[in-house]
Amino acid sequence: MTDSFKSGFVALIGRPNAGKSTLLNHLVGQKIAIISDKPQTTRNKIVGVLTKPHFQAIFLDTPGIHKPQHKLGQIMVDTALNTLREVDLIYYLVDVTVPFGGGEEYILEKLQKVDTPVFLLLNKIDCLKKTELLPLLDFYRQKREWAEIVPISALSGENLEHLLEATLPYFEEGPQYYPADALTDQPERVLVAELIREKIIVLTHEEVPHSVAVTVEMMERRSENLLYIGATIFVERSSQKAIIIGKNGEMLKKIGAGARREIETLLGDRIYLELWVKVKADWRNSVRNLREFGYDDRE
Ligand code: GDP
Ligand code: MG
């Protein structure tokens, strides 16, 4: 071995909708984090792994940092901050199509509490005129010391090669933590649950999104080419249950069909997917319930 192998951990942060999941998926080359045009769809910390001949990057898709509105929000912020202290580098994504405001101020203030180097990623530059970029760069340069400012498009992949090149100096010589073909270390159940939740959020345009949790109860091989998956969708109110089930069960069928296709792609298996919907009142504000759903990782 002439060249040394490098590895490092990178945390993705930014306001909901900044494009963190899109970037993670693009870098890793497969859909592993859920993406939606509605904020706050990422609750679980999803790890993406990118392995090249001379380095391995491990990405953490942290839940959006934002002013907490309920207990779940507070736990999400705490989790994100602790992650930031442990990684080699932070990618802070800013959506250039959204005017600077309190949300970004809040994150900048939180970032003062960590010493980790920060890359500012000005994302969605595909929506920007060239002349609009320079003033933005000037504006953000004055906000704090950045290890690097990189304008990117997570969606089209523009400038992502450069981003990786700039990232390497922040990695240390180190082991390959994960096998070269690994994309994520999240248990399959978590990924499957996230895919189902994504379908619910995308397909129901109602009150449901912020109060839905999905747990996969069963993953069982029923025959050589059929994997049975049983999952429960938890909502807070029976009105939400009715929305998810839909007229003659049509919405639930759509959710199931959409999720099944993506799970089949993810796992490379034929899937039989069964979904149940249960009402569990006010689960978001009950800490006991949060633990049950695995959202509270502090002990
Ligand atoms: P997250 O909440 O930060 O994880 O954001 P997502 O990755 O879920 O993206 C939120 C929305 O922004 C989705 O509709 C994405 O398709 C869109 N998006 C993300 N990156 C880009 C980009 O570079 N350009 C454009 N035009 N849209 C983007
Ligand atoms: Mg996300």
Side-chain angles (χ1 to χ4, degrees), residues 21 34 41-42 61:
S21 300
I34 75 168
T41 48
T42 309
D61 183 22

Side-chain angles (χ1 to χ4, degrees), residues 30 36 65-66 70 88 112-113 139 152 197 244 254 261:
Q30 190 189 317
S36 109
I65 300 188
H66 56 278
H70 44 67
D88 299 292
Q112 285 177 355
K113 296 180 184 163
F139 176 82
I152 59 162
R197 210 161 61 80
I244 287 190
K254 257 196 216 166
R261 268 195 301 276

Side-chain angles (χ1 to χ4, degrees), residues 14-23 34-42 61 95 123-127 152-156:
R15 297 188 59 215
N17 240 16
K20 299 174 294 295
S21 300
T22 308
L23 178 65
I34 75 168
I35 299 174
S36 109
D37 53 6
K38 301 204 181 55
Q40 268 179 264
T41 48
T42 309
D61 183 22
D95 180 344
N123 188 33
K124 311 196 186 179
I125 52 163
D126 53 295
C127 302
I152 59 162
S153 168
L155 198 63
S156 76

